PDB file of all heavy atoms in Angstrom:
ATOM      1  N   PRO G   1      -5.936  -7.194 -12.513  1.00  0.00           N
ATOM      2  CA  PRO G   1      -6.716  -5.948 -12.365  1.00  0.00           C
ATOM      3  C   PRO G   1      -6.977  -5.659 -10.848  1.00  0.00           C
ATOM      4  O   PRO G   1      -7.000  -6.545 -10.023  1.00  0.00           O
ATOM      5  CB  PRO G   1      -8.048  -6.311 -13.087  1.00  0.00           C
ATOM      6  CG  PRO G   1      -7.576  -7.304 -14.110  1.00  0.00           C
ATOM      7  CD  PRO G   1      -6.525  -8.091 -13.443  1.00  0.00           C
ATOM      8  N   LEU G   2      -7.309  -4.390 -10.499  1.00  0.00           N
ATOM      9  CA  LEU G   2      -7.575  -4.087  -9.116  1.00  0.00           C
ATOM     10  C   LEU G   2      -8.828  -4.672  -8.718  1.00  0.00           C
ATOM     11  O   LEU G   2      -9.839  -4.656  -9.436  1.00  0.00           O
ATOM     12  CB  LEU G   2      -7.703  -2.483  -9.079  1.00  0.00           C
ATOM     13  CG  LEU G   2      -6.305  -1.691  -9.188  1.00  0.00           C
ATOM     14  CD1 LEU G   2      -6.630  -0.240  -9.281  1.00  0.00           C
ATOM     15  CD2 LEU G   2      -5.395  -2.054  -8.097  1.00  0.00           C
ATOM     16  N   ASP G   3      -8.782  -5.144  -7.485  1.00  0.00           N
ATOM     17  CA  ASP G   3      -9.963  -5.881  -6.892  1.00  0.00           C
ATOM     18  C   ASP G   3     -10.953  -5.009  -6.148  1.00  0.00           C
ATOM     19  O   ASP G   3     -10.524  -4.082  -5.549  1.00  0.00           O
ATOM     20  CB  ASP G   3      -9.487  -7.038  -5.941  1.00  0.00           C
ATOM     21  CG  ASP G   3      -8.704  -8.058  -6.700  1.00  0.00           C
ATOM     22  OD1 ASP G   3      -9.030  -8.405  -7.801  1.00  0.00           O
ATOM     23  OD2 ASP G   3      -7.656  -8.533  -6.105  1.00  0.00           O
ATOM     24  N   ALA G   4     -12.258  -5.426  -6.241  1.00  0.00           N
ATOM     25  CA  ALA G   4     -13.185  -4.652  -5.456  1.00  0.00           C
ATOM     26  C   ALA G   4     -14.078  -5.627  -4.657  1.00  0.00           C
ATOM     27  O   ALA G   4     -14.411  -6.720  -5.172  1.00  0.00           O
ATOM     28  CB  ALA G   4     -14.094  -3.869  -6.455  1.00  0.00           C
ATOM     29  N   ILE G   5     -14.547  -5.171  -3.520  1.00  0.00           N
ATOM     30  CA  ILE G   5     -15.581  -5.838  -2.784  1.00  0.00           C
ATOM     31  C   ILE G   5     -16.736  -4.919  -2.567  1.00  0.00           C
ATOM     32  O   ILE G   5     -16.545  -3.807  -2.022  1.00  0.00           O
ATOM     33  CB  ILE G   5     -15.058  -6.406  -1.374  1.00  0.00           C
ATOM     34  CG1 ILE G   5     -16.123  -7.238  -0.709  1.00  0.00           C
ATOM     35  CG2 ILE G   5     -14.483  -5.346  -0.569  1.00  0.00           C
ATOM     36  CD1 ILE G   5     -16.310  -8.700  -1.131  1.00  0.00           C
ATOM     37  N   VAL G   6     -17.981  -5.202  -3.188  1.00  0.00           N
ATOM     38  CA  VAL G   6     -19.063  -4.243  -3.136  1.00  0.00           C
ATOM     39  C   VAL G   6     -20.047  -4.715  -2.051  1.00  0.00           C
ATOM     40  O   VAL G   6     -20.652  -5.814  -2.171  1.00  0.00           O
ATOM     41  CB  VAL G   6     -19.794  -4.306  -4.492  1.00  0.00           C
ATOM     42  CG1 VAL G   6     -20.908  -3.315  -4.419  1.00  0.00           C
ATOM     43  CG2 VAL G   6     -18.781  -3.939  -5.640  1.00  0.00           C
ATOM     44  N   LEU G   7     -20.124  -3.923  -0.935  1.00  0.00           N
ATOM     45  CA  LEU G   7     -20.984  -4.286   0.119  1.00  0.00           C
ATOM     46  C   LEU G   7     -22.430  -4.015  -0.180  1.00  0.00           C
ATOM     47  O   LEU G   7     -22.764  -3.196  -1.003  1.00  0.00           O
ATOM     48  CB  LEU G   7     -20.556  -3.449   1.398  1.00  0.00           C
ATOM     49  CG  LEU G   7     -19.057  -3.550   1.798  1.00  0.00           C
ATOM     50  CD1 LEU G   7     -18.860  -2.788   3.030  1.00  0.00           C
ATOM     51  CD2 LEU G   7     -18.644  -4.980   1.952  1.00  0.00           C
ATOM     52  N   GLY G   8     -23.288  -4.846   0.504  1.00  0.00           N
ATOM     53  CA  GLY G   8     -24.729  -4.621   0.250  1.00  0.00           C
ATOM     54  C   GLY G   8     -25.312  -5.926  -0.418  1.00  0.00           C
ATOM     55  O   GLY G   8     -24.719  -6.981  -0.443  1.00  0.00           O
ATOM     56  N   PRO G   9     -26.550  -5.811  -0.939  1.00  0.00           N
ATOM     57  CA  PRO G   9     -27.176  -6.958  -1.499  1.00  0.00           C
ATOM     58  C   PRO G   9     -26.371  -7.608  -2.654  1.00  0.00           C
ATOM     59  O   PRO G   9     -25.640  -6.895  -3.338  1.00  0.00           O
ATOM     60  CB  PRO G   9     -28.483  -6.387  -2.121  1.00  0.00           C
ATOM     61  CG  PRO G   9     -28.738  -5.159  -1.200  1.00  0.00           C
ATOM     62  CD  PRO G   9     -27.417  -4.627  -0.921  1.00  0.00           C
ATOM     63  N   ALA G  10     -26.543  -8.911  -2.867  1.00  0.00           N
ATOM     64  CA  ALA G  10     -25.748  -9.573  -3.887  1.00  0.00           C
ATOM     65  C   ALA G  10     -26.102  -9.015  -5.275  1.00  0.00           C
ATOM     66  O   ALA G  10     -27.193  -8.649  -5.553  1.00  0.00           O
ATOM     67  CB  ALA G  10     -26.073 -11.040  -3.861  1.00  0.00           C
ATOM     68  N   VAL G  11     -25.028  -8.967  -6.152  1.00  0.00           N
ATOM     69  CA  VAL G  11     -25.184  -8.547  -7.502  1.00  0.00           C
ATOM     70  C   VAL G  11     -24.883  -9.699  -8.413  1.00  0.00           C
ATOM     71  O   VAL G  11     -23.909 -10.461  -8.155  1.00  0.00           O
ATOM     72  CB  VAL G  11     -24.295  -7.375  -7.752  1.00  0.00           C
ATOM     73  CG1 VAL G  11     -24.389  -6.889  -9.218  1.00  0.00           C
ATOM     74  CG2 VAL G  11     -24.506  -6.208  -6.778  1.00  0.00           C
ATOM     75  N   ASP G  12     -25.680  -9.847  -9.517  1.00  0.00           N
ATOM     76  CA  ASP G  12     -25.392 -10.974 -10.406  1.00  0.00           C
ATOM     77  C   ASP G  12     -24.059 -11.055 -11.012  1.00  0.00           C
ATOM     78  O   ASP G  12     -23.472  -9.972 -11.352  1.00  0.00           O
ATOM     79  CB  ASP G  12     -26.406 -10.955 -11.569  1.00  0.00           C
ATOM     80  CG  ASP G  12     -27.869 -11.246 -11.103  1.00  0.00           C
ATOM     81  OD1 ASP G  12     -28.009 -11.821 -10.040  1.00  0.00           O
ATOM     82  OD2 ASP G  12     -28.770 -10.865 -11.899  1.00  0.00           O
ATOM     83  N   ARG G  13     -23.444 -12.176 -11.177  1.00  0.00           N
ATOM     84  CA  ARG G  13     -22.225 -12.407 -11.903  1.00  0.00           C
ATOM     85  C   ARG G  13     -22.387 -11.842 -13.303  1.00  0.00           C
ATOM     86  O   ARG G  13     -23.343 -12.071 -13.989  1.00  0.00           O
ATOM     87  CB  ARG G  13     -21.837 -13.849 -11.908  1.00  0.00           C
ATOM     88  CG  ARG G  13     -20.534 -14.115 -12.655  1.00  0.00           C
ATOM     89  CD  ARG G  13     -20.108 -15.518 -12.615  1.00  0.00           C
ATOM     90  NE  ARG G  13     -19.784 -15.945 -11.270  1.00  0.00           N
ATOM     91  CZ  ARG G  13     -20.509 -16.746 -10.430  1.00  0.00           C
ATOM     92  NH1 ARG G  13     -21.611 -17.321 -10.973  1.00  0.00           N
ATOM     93  NH2 ARG G  13     -20.119 -17.055  -9.256  1.00  0.00           N
ATOM     94  N   GLY G  14     -21.399 -11.041 -13.735  1.00  0.00           N
ATOM     95  CA  GLY G  14     -21.397 -10.467 -15.092  1.00  0.00           C
ATOM     96  C   GLY G  14     -22.081  -9.143 -15.165  1.00  0.00           C
ATOM     97  O   GLY G  14     -21.930  -8.420 -16.215  1.00  0.00           O
ATOM     98  N   ALA G  15     -22.602  -8.700 -14.082  1.00  0.00           N
ATOM     99  CA  ALA G  15     -23.163  -7.287 -14.071  1.00  0.00           C
ATOM    100  C   ALA G  15     -22.049  -6.364 -13.955  1.00  0.00           C
ATOM    101  O   ALA G  15     -20.984  -6.597 -13.361  1.00  0.00           O
ATOM    102  CB  ALA G  15     -24.140  -7.116 -12.877  1.00  0.00           C
ATOM    103  N   VAL G  16     -22.193  -5.132 -14.559  1.00  0.00           N
ATOM    104  CA  VAL G  16     -21.265  -4.030 -14.318  1.00  0.00           C
ATOM    105  C   VAL G  16     -22.080  -2.969 -13.582  1.00  0.00           C
ATOM    106  O   VAL G  16     -23.073  -2.448 -14.010  1.00  0.00           O
ATOM    107  CB  VAL G  16     -20.846  -3.421 -15.701  1.00  0.00           C
ATOM    108  CG1 VAL G  16     -19.936  -2.308 -15.499  1.00  0.00           C
ATOM    109  CG2 VAL G  16     -20.220  -4.526 -16.533  1.00  0.00           C
ATOM    110  N   VAL G  17     -21.524  -2.761 -12.346  1.00  0.00           N
ATOM    111  CA  VAL G  17     -22.199  -1.850 -11.455  1.00  0.00           C
ATOM    112  C   VAL G  17     -21.439  -0.497 -11.147  1.00  0.00           C
ATOM    113  O   VAL G  17     -20.189  -0.515 -11.147  1.00  0.00           O
ATOM    114  CB  VAL G  17     -22.486  -2.586 -10.069  1.00  0.00           C
ATOM    115  CG1 VAL G  17     -23.500  -3.708 -10.251  1.00  0.00           C
ATOM    116  CG2 VAL G  17     -21.266  -3.056  -9.393  1.00  0.00           C
ATOM    117  N   ARG G  18     -22.154   0.473 -10.957  1.00  0.00           N
ATOM    118  CA  ARG G  18     -21.727   1.790 -10.632  1.00  0.00           C
ATOM    119  C   ARG G  18     -21.492   1.833  -9.093  1.00  0.00           C
ATOM    120  O   ARG G  18     -22.433   1.618  -8.320  1.00  0.00           O
ATOM    121  CB  ARG G  18     -22.628   2.871 -11.108  1.00  0.00           C
ATOM    122  CG  ARG G  18     -22.180   4.312 -10.864  1.00  0.00           C
ATOM    123  CD  ARG G  18     -23.247   5.211 -11.191  1.00  0.00           C
ATOM    124  NE  ARG G  18     -22.916   6.631 -10.989  1.00  0.00           N
ATOM    125  CZ  ARG G  18     -22.569   7.446 -11.958  1.00  0.00           C
ATOM    126  NH1 ARG G  18     -22.554   7.021 -13.256  1.00  0.00           N
ATOM    127  NH2 ARG G  18     -22.214   8.692 -11.734  1.00  0.00           N
ATOM    128  N   VAL G  19     -20.309   2.199  -8.634  1.00  0.00           N
ATOM    129  CA  VAL G  19     -19.944   2.234  -7.171  1.00  0.00           C
ATOM    130  C   VAL G  19     -19.346   3.495  -6.672  1.00  0.00           C
ATOM    131  O   VAL G  19     -18.872   4.235  -7.452  1.00  0.00           O
ATOM    132  CB  VAL G  19     -19.073   0.941  -6.828  1.00  0.00           C
ATOM    133  CG1 VAL G  19     -19.702  -0.328  -7.264  1.00  0.00           C
ATOM    134  CG2 VAL G  19     -17.701   1.096  -7.380  1.00  0.00           C
ATOM    135  N   LYS G  20     -19.317   3.528  -5.383  1.00  0.00           N
ATOM    136  CA  LYS G  20     -18.592   4.600  -4.674  1.00  0.00           C
ATOM    137  C   LYS G  20     -17.496   3.869  -3.831  1.00  0.00           C
ATOM    138  O   LYS G  20     -17.821   2.926  -3.160  1.00  0.00           O
ATOM    139  CB  LYS G  20     -19.465   5.461  -3.814  1.00  0.00           C
ATOM    140  CG  LYS G  20     -18.839   6.386  -2.874  1.00  0.00           C
ATOM    141  CD  LYS G  20     -19.906   7.297  -2.187  1.00  0.00           C
ATOM    142  CE  LYS G  20     -20.850   6.502  -1.349  1.00  0.00           C
ATOM    143  NZ  LYS G  20     -21.759   7.423  -0.568  1.00  0.00           N
ATOM    144  N   VAL G  21     -16.279   4.264  -4.042  1.00  0.00           N
ATOM    145  CA  VAL G  21     -15.191   3.677  -3.219  1.00  0.00           C
ATOM    146  C   VAL G  21     -15.041   4.424  -1.923  1.00  0.00           C
ATOM    147  O   VAL G  21     -14.910   5.592  -1.863  1.00  0.00           O
ATOM    148  CB  VAL G  21     -13.837   3.679  -4.041  1.00  0.00           C
ATOM    149  CG1 VAL G  21     -12.712   3.077  -3.180  1.00  0.00           C
ATOM    150  CG2 VAL G  21     -14.014   3.048  -5.411  1.00  0.00           C
ATOM    151  N   ILE G  22     -15.060   3.677  -0.798  1.00  0.00           N
ATOM    152  CA  ILE G  22     -15.066   4.285   0.493  1.00  0.00           C
ATOM    153  C   ILE G  22     -13.806   3.949   1.305  1.00  0.00           C
ATOM    154  O   ILE G  22     -13.564   4.451   2.383  1.00  0.00           O
ATOM    155  CB  ILE G  22     -16.291   3.968   1.291  1.00  0.00           C
ATOM    156  CG1 ILE G  22     -16.438   2.479   1.599  1.00  0.00           C
ATOM    157  CG2 ILE G  22     -17.567   4.484   0.571  1.00  0.00           C
ATOM    158  CD1 ILE G  22     -17.462   2.125   2.556  1.00  0.00           C
ATOM    159  N   GLY G  23     -13.032   3.051   0.836  1.00  0.00           N
ATOM    160  CA  GLY G  23     -11.784   2.637   1.546  1.00  0.00           C
ATOM    161  C   GLY G  23     -11.044   1.568   0.792  1.00  0.00           C
ATOM    162  O   GLY G  23     -11.391   1.073  -0.236  1.00  0.00           O
ATOM    163  N   VAL G  24      -9.915   1.121   1.452  1.00  0.00           N
ATOM    164  CA  VAL G  24      -9.150   0.023   0.869  1.00  0.00           C
ATOM    165  C   VAL G  24      -8.621  -0.852   1.985  1.00  0.00           C
ATOM    166  O   VAL G  24      -8.300  -0.363   3.028  1.00  0.00           O
ATOM    167  CB  VAL G  24      -7.961   0.609   0.078  1.00  0.00           C
ATOM    168  CG1 VAL G  24      -7.110   1.526   0.914  1.00  0.00           C
ATOM    169  CG2 VAL G  24      -7.121  -0.423  -0.453  1.00  0.00           C
ATOM    170  N   LEU G  25      -8.663  -2.119   1.776  1.00  0.00           N
ATOM    171  CA  LEU G  25      -8.070  -3.118   2.689  1.00  0.00           C
ATOM    172  C   LEU G  25      -6.722  -3.457   2.015  1.00  0.00           C
ATOM    173  O   LEU G  25      -6.670  -4.032   0.948  1.00  0.00           O
ATOM    174  CB  LEU G  25      -8.900  -4.355   2.843  1.00  0.00           C
ATOM    175  CG  LEU G  25      -8.229  -5.520   3.585  1.00  0.00           C
ATOM    176  CD1 LEU G  25      -7.988  -5.201   5.001  1.00  0.00           C
ATOM    177  CD2 LEU G  25      -9.149  -6.764   3.489  1.00  0.00           C
ATOM    178  N   ARG G  26      -5.654  -3.000   2.652  1.00  0.00           N
ATOM    179  CA  ARG G  26      -4.313  -3.354   2.186  1.00  0.00           C
ATOM    180  C   ARG G  26      -3.826  -4.666   2.718  1.00  0.00           C
ATOM    181  O   ARG G  26      -3.864  -4.915   3.911  1.00  0.00           O
ATOM    182  CB  ARG G  26      -3.332  -2.217   2.477  1.00  0.00           C
ATOM    183  CG  ARG G  26      -3.733  -0.854   1.937  1.00  0.00           C
ATOM    184  CD  ARG G  26      -2.586   0.089   1.891  1.00  0.00           C
ATOM    185  NE  ARG G  26      -2.904   1.386   1.361  1.00  0.00           N
ATOM    186  CZ  ARG G  26      -2.907   1.714   0.061  1.00  0.00           C
ATOM    187  NH1 ARG G  26      -2.608   0.699  -0.799  1.00  0.00           N
ATOM    188  NH2 ARG G  26      -3.175   2.908  -0.422  1.00  0.00           N
ATOM    189  N   LEU G  27      -3.397  -5.558   1.804  1.00  0.00           N
ATOM    190  CA  LEU G  27      -2.936  -6.811   2.221  1.00  0.00           C
ATOM    191  C   LEU G  27      -1.915  -7.381   1.294  1.00  0.00           C
ATOM    192  O   LEU G  27      -1.733  -6.910   0.146  1.00  0.00           O
ATOM    193  CB  LEU G  27      -4.102  -7.839   2.300  1.00  0.00           C
ATOM    194  CG  LEU G  27      -4.971  -8.205   1.049  1.00  0.00           C
ATOM    195  CD1 LEU G  27      -4.282  -9.236   0.221  1.00  0.00           C
ATOM    196  CD2 LEU G  27      -6.339  -8.732   1.559  1.00  0.00           C
ATOM    197  N   LEU G  28      -1.148  -8.389   1.767  1.00  0.00           N
ATOM    198  CA  LEU G  28      -0.154  -9.024   0.955  1.00  0.00           C
ATOM    199  C   LEU G  28      -0.589 -10.492   0.849  1.00  0.00           C
ATOM    200  O   LEU G  28      -0.979 -11.101   1.814  1.00  0.00           O
ATOM    201  CB  LEU G  28       1.189  -8.946   1.605  1.00  0.00           C
ATOM    202  CG  LEU G  28       1.836  -7.593   1.830  1.00  0.00           C
ATOM    203  CD1 LEU G  28       3.119  -7.686   2.641  1.00  0.00           C
ATOM    204  CD2 LEU G  28       1.998  -6.895   0.563  1.00  0.00           C
ATOM    205  N   ASP G  29      -0.563 -11.074  -0.361  1.00  0.00           N
ATOM    206  CA  ASP G  29      -0.895 -12.409  -0.632  1.00  0.00           C
ATOM    207  C   ASP G  29       0.377 -13.071  -1.179  1.00  0.00           C
ATOM    208  O   ASP G  29       0.856 -12.903  -2.279  1.00  0.00           O
ATOM    209  CB  ASP G  29      -1.965 -12.443  -1.732  1.00  0.00           C
ATOM    210  CG  ASP G  29      -2.481 -13.895  -1.942  1.00  0.00           C
ATOM    211  OD1 ASP G  29      -1.850 -14.829  -1.552  1.00  0.00           O
ATOM    212  OD2 ASP G  29      -3.544 -14.082  -2.627  1.00  0.00           O
ATOM    213  N   ASP G  30       0.882 -13.964  -0.395  1.00  0.00           N
ATOM    214  CA  ASP G  30       2.203 -14.545  -0.644  1.00  0.00           C
ATOM    215  C   ASP G  30       3.316 -13.562  -0.923  1.00  0.00           C
ATOM    216  O   ASP G  30       4.112 -13.681  -1.896  1.00  0.00           O
ATOM    217  CB  ASP G  30       2.115 -15.545  -1.882  1.00  0.00           C
ATOM    218  CG  ASP G  30       1.823 -16.974  -1.452  1.00  0.00           C
ATOM    219  OD1 ASP G  30       1.890 -17.291  -0.265  1.00  0.00           O
ATOM    220  OD2 ASP G  30       1.535 -17.819  -2.371  1.00  0.00           O
ATOM    221  N   GLY G  31       3.205 -12.428  -0.236  1.00  0.00           N
ATOM    222  CA  GLY G  31       4.223 -11.394  -0.368  1.00  0.00           C
ATOM    223  C   GLY G  31       3.916 -10.341  -1.402  1.00  0.00           C
ATOM    224  O   GLY G  31       4.713  -9.347  -1.517  1.00  0.00           O
ATOM    225  N   GLU G  32       2.940 -10.573  -2.204  1.00  0.00           N
ATOM    226  CA  GLU G  32       2.598  -9.660  -3.276  1.00  0.00           C
ATOM    227  C   GLU G  32       1.424  -8.787  -2.811  1.00  0.00           C
ATOM    228  O   GLU G  32       0.482  -9.130  -2.244  1.00  0.00           O
ATOM    229  CB  GLU G  32       2.159 -10.312  -4.549  1.00  0.00           C
ATOM    230  CG  GLU G  32       3.237 -11.166  -5.201  1.00  0.00           C
ATOM    231  CD  GLU G  32       2.818 -11.799  -6.549  1.00  0.00           C
ATOM    232  OE1 GLU G  32       1.600 -12.133  -6.635  1.00  0.00           O
ATOM    233  OE2 GLU G  32       3.737 -12.055  -7.338  1.00  0.00           O
ATOM    234  N   GLN G  33       1.494  -7.442  -3.236  1.00  0.00           N
ATOM    235  CA  GLN G  33       0.453  -6.551  -2.878  1.00  0.00           C
ATOM    236  C   GLN G  33      -0.806  -6.942  -3.556  1.00  0.00           C
ATOM    237  O   GLN G  33      -0.851  -7.180  -4.749  1.00  0.00           O
ATOM    238  CB  GLN G  33       0.802  -5.091  -3.296  1.00  0.00           C
ATOM    239  CG  GLN G  33      -0.179  -4.064  -3.015  1.00  0.00           C
ATOM    240  CD  GLN G  33       0.212  -2.667  -3.441  1.00  0.00           C
ATOM    241  OE1 GLN G  33       1.257  -2.514  -4.042  1.00  0.00           O
ATOM    242  NE2 GLN G  33      -0.611  -1.600  -3.251  1.00  0.00           N
ATOM    243  N   ASP G  34      -1.987  -7.043  -2.871  1.00  0.00           N
ATOM    244  CA  ASP G  34      -3.188  -7.470  -3.421  1.00  0.00           C
ATOM    245  C   ASP G  34      -4.392  -6.780  -2.738  1.00  0.00           C
ATOM    246  O   ASP G  34      -5.203  -7.340  -2.141  1.00  0.00           O
ATOM    247  CB  ASP G  34      -3.377  -8.998  -3.179  1.00  0.00           C
ATOM    248  CG  ASP G  34      -4.483  -9.572  -4.017  1.00  0.00           C
ATOM    249  OD1 ASP G  34      -4.927  -8.918  -5.018  1.00  0.00           O
ATOM    250  OD2 ASP G  34      -4.876 -10.728  -3.724  1.00  0.00           O
ATOM    251  N   ASP G  35      -4.308  -5.335  -2.768  1.00  0.00           N
ATOM    252  CA  ASP G  35      -5.323  -4.532  -2.091  1.00  0.00           C
ATOM    253  C   ASP G  35      -6.703  -4.809  -2.625  1.00  0.00           C
ATOM    254  O   ASP G  35      -6.943  -5.156  -3.785  1.00  0.00           O
ATOM    255  CB  ASP G  35      -4.940  -3.126  -2.320  1.00  0.00           C
ATOM    256  CG  ASP G  35      -3.645  -2.730  -1.686  1.00  0.00           C
ATOM    257  OD1 ASP G  35      -3.141  -3.479  -0.850  1.00  0.00           O
ATOM    258  OD2 ASP G  35      -3.052  -1.638  -2.153  1.00  0.00           O
ATOM    259  N   LYS G  36      -7.627  -4.602  -1.716  1.00  0.00           N
ATOM    260  CA  LYS G  36      -9.106  -4.754  -2.079  1.00  0.00           C
ATOM    261  C   LYS G  36      -9.791  -3.474  -1.781  1.00  0.00           C
ATOM    262  O   LYS G  36      -9.802  -2.999  -0.587  1.00  0.00           O
ATOM    263  CB  LYS G  36      -9.781  -5.895  -1.177  1.00  0.00           C
ATOM    264  CG  LYS G  36      -8.990  -7.181  -1.078  1.00  0.00           C
ATOM    265  CD  LYS G  36      -8.860  -7.856  -2.455  1.00  0.00           C
ATOM    266  CE  LYS G  36      -7.992  -9.105  -2.346  1.00  0.00           C
ATOM    267  NZ  LYS G  36      -7.713  -9.762  -3.607  1.00  0.00           N
ATOM    268  N   LEU G  37     -10.355  -2.788  -2.816  1.00  0.00           N
ATOM    269  CA  LEU G  37     -11.032  -1.607  -2.635  1.00  0.00           C
ATOM    270  C   LEU G  37     -12.434  -1.852  -2.181  1.00  0.00           C
ATOM    271  O   LEU G  37     -13.199  -2.606  -2.786  1.00  0.00           O
ATOM    272  CB  LEU G  37     -11.015  -0.753  -3.977  1.00  0.00           C
ATOM    273  CG  LEU G  37      -9.653  -0.239  -4.300  1.00  0.00           C
ATOM    274  CD1 LEU G  37      -9.664   0.279  -5.739  1.00  0.00           C
ATOM    275  CD2 LEU G  37      -9.148   0.799  -3.323  1.00  0.00           C
ATOM    276  N   ILE G  38     -12.845  -1.175  -1.104  1.00  0.00           N
ATOM    277  CA  ILE G  38     -14.206  -1.419  -0.492  1.00  0.00           C
ATOM    278  C   ILE G  38     -15.166  -0.424  -1.033  1.00  0.00           C
ATOM    279  O   ILE G  38     -14.922   0.787  -1.046  1.00  0.00           O
ATOM    280  CB  ILE G  38     -14.074  -1.353   1.075  1.00  0.00           C
ATOM    281  CG1 ILE G  38     -13.067  -2.405   1.547  1.00  0.00           C
ATOM    282  CG2 ILE G  38     -15.349  -1.516   1.727  1.00  0.00           C
ATOM    283  CD1 ILE G  38     -12.747  -2.242   3.032  1.00  0.00           C
ATOM    284  N   CYS G  39     -16.248  -0.918  -1.590  1.00  0.00           N
ATOM    285  CA  CYS G  39     -17.239  -0.114  -2.350  1.00  0.00           C
ATOM    286  C   CYS G  39     -18.585  -0.311  -1.859  1.00  0.00           C
ATOM    287  O   CYS G  39     -18.960  -1.338  -1.216  1.00  0.00           O
ATOM    288  CB  CYS G  39     -17.218  -0.505  -3.841  1.00  0.00           C
ATOM    289  SG  CYS G  39     -15.544  -0.512  -4.604  1.00  0.00           S
ATOM    290  N   VAL G  40     -19.482   0.755  -2.099  1.00  0.00           N
ATOM    291  CA  VAL G  40     -20.837   0.645  -1.809  1.00  0.00           C
ATOM    292  C   VAL G  40     -21.565   1.182  -3.036  1.00  0.00           C
ATOM    293  O   VAL G  40     -21.009   1.814  -3.923  1.00  0.00           O
ATOM    294  CB  VAL G  40     -21.245   1.457  -0.553  1.00  0.00           C
ATOM    295  CG1 VAL G  40     -20.666   0.848   0.697  1.00  0.00           C
ATOM    296  CG2 VAL G  40     -20.852   2.932  -0.613  1.00  0.00           C
ATOM    297  N   ARG G  41     -22.917   0.941  -3.085  1.00  0.00           N
ATOM    298  CA  ARG G  41     -23.735   1.337  -4.174  1.00  0.00           C
ATOM    299  C   ARG G  41     -24.812   2.329  -3.709  1.00  0.00           C
ATOM    300  O   ARG G  41     -25.501   2.088  -2.748  1.00  0.00           O
ATOM    301  CB  ARG G  41     -24.409   0.200  -4.826  1.00  0.00           C
ATOM    302  CG  ARG G  41     -23.475  -0.823  -5.473  1.00  0.00           C
ATOM    303  CD  ARG G  41     -24.120  -2.062  -5.823  1.00  0.00           C
ATOM    304  NE  ARG G  41     -25.178  -1.929  -6.792  1.00  0.00           N
ATOM    305  CZ  ARG G  41     -26.171  -2.767  -6.991  1.00  0.00           C
ATOM    306  NH1 ARG G  41     -26.303  -3.856  -6.233  1.00  0.00           N
ATOM    307  NH2 ARG G  41     -27.107  -2.517  -7.878  1.00  0.00           N
ATOM    308  N   LYS G  42     -24.898   3.557  -4.369  1.00  0.00           N
ATOM    309  CA  LYS G  42     -25.859   4.465  -4.013  1.00  0.00           C
ATOM    310  C   LYS G  42     -27.297   3.980  -4.073  1.00  0.00           C
ATOM    311  O   LYS G  42     -27.651   3.250  -4.954  1.00  0.00           O
ATOM    312  CB  LYS G  42     -25.807   5.691  -4.949  1.00  0.00           C
ATOM    313  CG  LYS G  42     -26.602   6.879  -4.555  1.00  0.00           C
ATOM    314  CD  LYS G  42     -26.419   8.067  -5.492  1.00  0.00           C
ATOM    315  CE  LYS G  42     -27.300   9.290  -5.117  1.00  0.00           C
ATOM    316  NZ  LYS G  42     -27.111  10.387  -6.100  1.00  0.00           N
ATOM    317  N   GLY G  43     -28.122   4.247  -3.002  1.00  0.00           N
ATOM    318  CA  GLY G  43     -29.489   3.790  -2.982  1.00  0.00           C
ATOM    319  C   GLY G  43     -29.651   2.377  -2.355  1.00  0.00           C
ATOM    320  O   GLY G  43     -30.766   1.907  -2.238  1.00  0.00           O
ATOM    321  N   GLU G  44     -28.482   1.667  -2.111  1.00  0.00           N
ATOM    322  CA  GLU G  44     -28.578   0.359  -1.498  1.00  0.00           C
ATOM    323  C   GLU G  44     -28.122   0.432  -0.009  1.00  0.00           C
ATOM    324  O   GLU G  44     -27.535   1.442   0.416  1.00  0.00           O
ATOM    325  CB  GLU G  44     -27.642  -0.602  -2.247  1.00  0.00           C
ATOM    326  CG  GLU G  44     -27.947  -0.783  -3.659  1.00  0.00           C
ATOM    327  CD  GLU G  44     -29.149  -1.703  -3.857  1.00  0.00           C
ATOM    328  OE1 GLU G  44     -29.632  -2.320  -2.835  1.00  0.00           O
ATOM    329  OE2 GLU G  44     -29.686  -1.866  -5.063  1.00  0.00           O
TER     330      GLU G  44
END
């Protein structure tokens, strides 16, 4: 599945959070595309 990194205060494991996507870190992991979408949360 597509990966996300949510900036701001820590969120509990297992929570489902509503986010805004503001960018992407494009990277290769052992030659495979493994992009990380950079997200923030409204009000945080």
Side-chain angles (χ1 to χ4, degrees):
L2 291 173
D3 296 321
I5 183 83
V6 184
L7 306 183
V11 181
D12 291 340
R13 178 176 294 112
V16 180
V17 293
R18 182 189 181 100
V19 304
K20 173 173 58 174
V21 181
I22 63 171
V24 58
L25 174 63
R26 297 197 180 277
L27 61 82
L28 300 176
D29 186 346
D30 269 349
E32 294 181 334
Q33 184 181 357
D34 194 17
D35 297 339
K36 313 299 179 183
L37 291 169
I38 301 171
C39 309
V40 294
R41 298 166 61 201
K42 185 178 179 180
E44 297 286 351

